[in-house]
Amino acid sequence: MENVPAFSATEESGRKKFALPVDSEHKATEFRLFSVAAPHMRAFHLSWISFFACFVSTFAAPPLLPIIRDDLDLTATEIGNAGIAAVSGAVFARVAMGSACDLFGPRLASAALTLLTAPAVYCSSIASGPSTFLIVRFFTGFSLATFVSTQFWMSSLFSAPVVGTANGVAGGWGNLGGGATQLIMPLGFELILKMGSDKFTAWRIAFFIPGLFQMLCAYGIFFLGQDLPDGNYAQLHKSGDKHKDKFSKVLYHAVTNYRGWILALTYGYCFGVELAIDNIIAQYFYDRFNVSLHTAGIIAASFGLANFFSRPGGGMLSDIVARRYGMRGRLWALWSVQTLGGIFCIILGKVGTLGVSVAVMLIFSVFVQAACGLTFGVVPFVSRRYPSIYLPIRFTKILSDNNIDLFDMLLLLPGHWELYRG
């Protein structure tokens, strides 16, 4: 099941030549991280960088919340509502993103969404109260739907032996944005302060950093990317080399596939937890342990930055165990790692000192993010029908977002929970 015949990159028997070895569908059978060869590795780097930029934008507000809440007079409930809105927006966008990928290709779908949500990032700088702050976070969150196009793109370009690695690294390095923004935004804020701005002006100017980054990524994908090994969707549809399935038929097969629903639930309990932590971690350490804004940002960044190796490691582990144990190995690895992540999550809630909290948080982050990578080592095999590959990805993301909203409501909204301060 996992073995796919490969053709050499230099084989010329009437076949199109590629920089990487490919299979009969021209999907790459090797993953060369430090290559930028078109179309496979160039699309990989474009997709993860764009997803990274969208993560930076969506979670640009949390590391500056101690300043923003004073400027806008935000209550804990209003901050919680805005955090929920940031990830809720992605639910609506992901409903459309899968269809857009199938109809127009991941290149155009990703570039369009990244560019269209950039104005919301810029508008964060003119938020004047709780309502406008919630609205800009809601629309900025739409950009997280680029995860669907990222995983769709990788599944379209890489074959079974390496698709788990490709999906894991692309998703993991994109998720790094959730940690990097905890460093980028406070650093930008501090630099703007040193230029003479007051703190209530500096945080607003700082939002131009992620906005510009996101726009540049959108143009890069549009002009440099390619949908499939053999070309873009428009030219392949025109030439008749790519067949269009009826959407209703594809949707029916996806909805009736119970495996997709199971993966949606499990993914919600790893990625859902991760995003909920991204929303609160800087504010938690700032309030609970009386650390500076800069220190809180560094601690919070360490949680997200673990994606550099943990989520890719999950995808690689999925491919490694599959070589010996097949799909059963992928599933057992996912269950084991996600269970350990749950155990460390419980322990994190029990400890009360700064040093131990940081240590447990780091261990927890490795397992919860590796579980995300392991999940998308399985997703491409839920449906072997190529045109409907986006549907397992789409449903996994949409349903997991409902779990994200649940976790955010539990963690961000005060009421039944005690908010600790120093």
Side-chain angles (χ1 to χ4, degrees):
M1 178 179 177
E2 298 287 341
N3 294 324
V4 178
F7 299 91
S8 167
T10 58
E11 187 173 357
E12 297 188 27
S13 54
R15 298 184 180 278
K16 186 176 179 179
K17 295 174 66 176
F18 298 93
L20 302 181
V22 297
D23 63 9
S24 59
E25 294 179 311
H26 293 169
K27 293 184 179 183
T29 58
E30 290 184 8
F31 180 78
R32 298 176 183 173
L33 182 60
F34 299 106
S35 170
V36 291
H40 304 90
M41 296 311 301
R42 180 183 294 178
F44 162 77
H45 289 294
L46 288 171
S47 65
W48 81 257
I49 292 173
S50 174
F51 186 41
F52 177 94
C54 292
F55 242 96
V56 169
S57 297
T58 301
F59 294 100
L64 299 181
L65 272 177
I67 309 300
I68 296 173
R69 70 184 178 190
D70 292 339
D71 189 15
L72 303 183
D73 293 323
L74 301 177
T75 65
T77 299
E78 290 163 346
I79 292 173
N81 288 336
I84 294 169
V87 292
S88 297
V91 176
F92 300 100
R94 282 166 183 156
V95 170
M97 181 53 100
S99 300
C101 286
D102 191 54
L103 294 173
F104 307 109
R107 177 188 66 94
L108 187 58
S110 180
L113 182 62
T114 304
L115 187 61
L116 289 173
T117 51
V121 185
Y122 288 121
C123 286
S124 299
S125 64
I126 59 173
S128 57
S131 297
T132 51
F133 182 65
L134 184 146
I135 290 170
V136 293
R137 289 215 68 192
F138 175 76
F139 285 107
T140 301
F142 276 52
S143 65
L144 289 184
T146 51
F147 179 84
V148 175
S149 57
T150 296
Q151 301 296 282
F152 182 103
W153 212 351
M154 297 304 96
S155 298
S156 301
L157 293 172
F158 294 91
S159 64
V162 294
V163 70
T165 300
N167 276 335
V169 178
W173 284 14
N175 280 5
L176 274 175
T181 195
Q182 306 282 351
L183 294 175
I184 293 171
M185 295 305 289
L187 179 59
F189 172 76
E190 295 291 342
L191 289 176
I192 295 167
L193 277 181
K194 291 180 180 179
M195 293 179 186
S197 295
D198 64 86
K199 65 178 182 179
F200 290 159
T201 301
W203 77 259
R204 296 175 184 275
I205 298 174
F207 274 90
F208 281 80
I209 299 171
L212 179 61
F213 184 22
Q214 195 169 312
M215 285 183 62
L216 292 175
C217 288
Y219 288 121
I221 286 178
F222 182 79
F223 290 109
L224 301 176
Q226 182 174 305
D227 290 314
L228 297 172
D230 297 318
N232 290 319
Y233 270 42
Q235 68 187 76
L236 294 176
H237 285 152
K238 187 175 181 179
S239 65
D241 291 330
K242 188 178 188 309
H243 174 69
K244 273 190 174 181
D245 271 12
K246 288 185 178 180
F247 177 74
S248 58
K249 184 178 180 181
V250 175
L251 180 64
Y252 171 79
H253 283 290
V255 171
T256 55
N257 191 329
Y258 71 91
R259 299 173 185 85
W261 296 94
I262 294 173
L263 286 173
L265 182 64
T266 59
Y267 191 64
Y269 282 97
C270 53
F271 190 60
V273 173
E274 181 184 347
L275 287 195
I277 296 297
D278 279 336
N279 257 323
I280 66 167
I281 194 67
Q283 184 184 358
Y284 168 76
F285 279 100
Y286 180 85
D287 289 337
R288 177 74 198 283
F289 298 106
N290 290 322
V291 298
S292 67
L293 183 64
H294 179 67
T295 301
I298 292 175
I299 295 172
S302 64
F303 178 82
L305 292 176
N307 272 295
F308 180 78
F309 63 89
S310 56
R311 184 163 183 153
M316 294 175 189
L317 176 61
S318 183
D319 286 339
I320 290 170
V321 295
R323 292 185 191 121
R324 181 167 182 178
Y325 302 106
M327 181 54 65
R328 187 172 295 276
R330 293 184 188 268
L331 294 174
W332 272 108
L334 171 59
W335 180 87
S336 301
V337 171
Q338 184 145 345
T339 298
L340 288 170
I343 292 172
F344 282 105
C345 184
I346 294 171
I347 295 173
L348 180 60
K350 298 292 184 181
V351 297
T353 61
L354 178 60
V356 177
S357 293
V358 172
V360 174
M361 181 198 71
L362 292 175
I363 298 172
F364 162 62
S365 69
V366 171
F367 283 101
V368 74
Q369 292 158 10
C372 295
L374 282 156
T375 300
F376 276 86
V378 176
V379 166
F381 302 97
V382 171
S383 172
R384 295 302 296 166
R385 298 176 67 252
Y386 168 73
S388 67
I389 187 64
Y390 79 90
L391 280 164
I393 297 171
R394 177 178 166 189
F395 284 133
T396 300
K397 289 299 296 173
I398 291 171
L399 295 179
S400 71
D401 282 346
N402 291 328
N403 287 339
I404 294 169
D405 289 342
L406 173 62
F407 292 129
D408 276 341
M409 284 188 287
L410 290 175
L411 291 174
L412 299 177
L413 294 182
H416 299 294
W417 308 102
E418 183 178 357
L419 300 179
Y420 288 98
R421 290 181 182 272

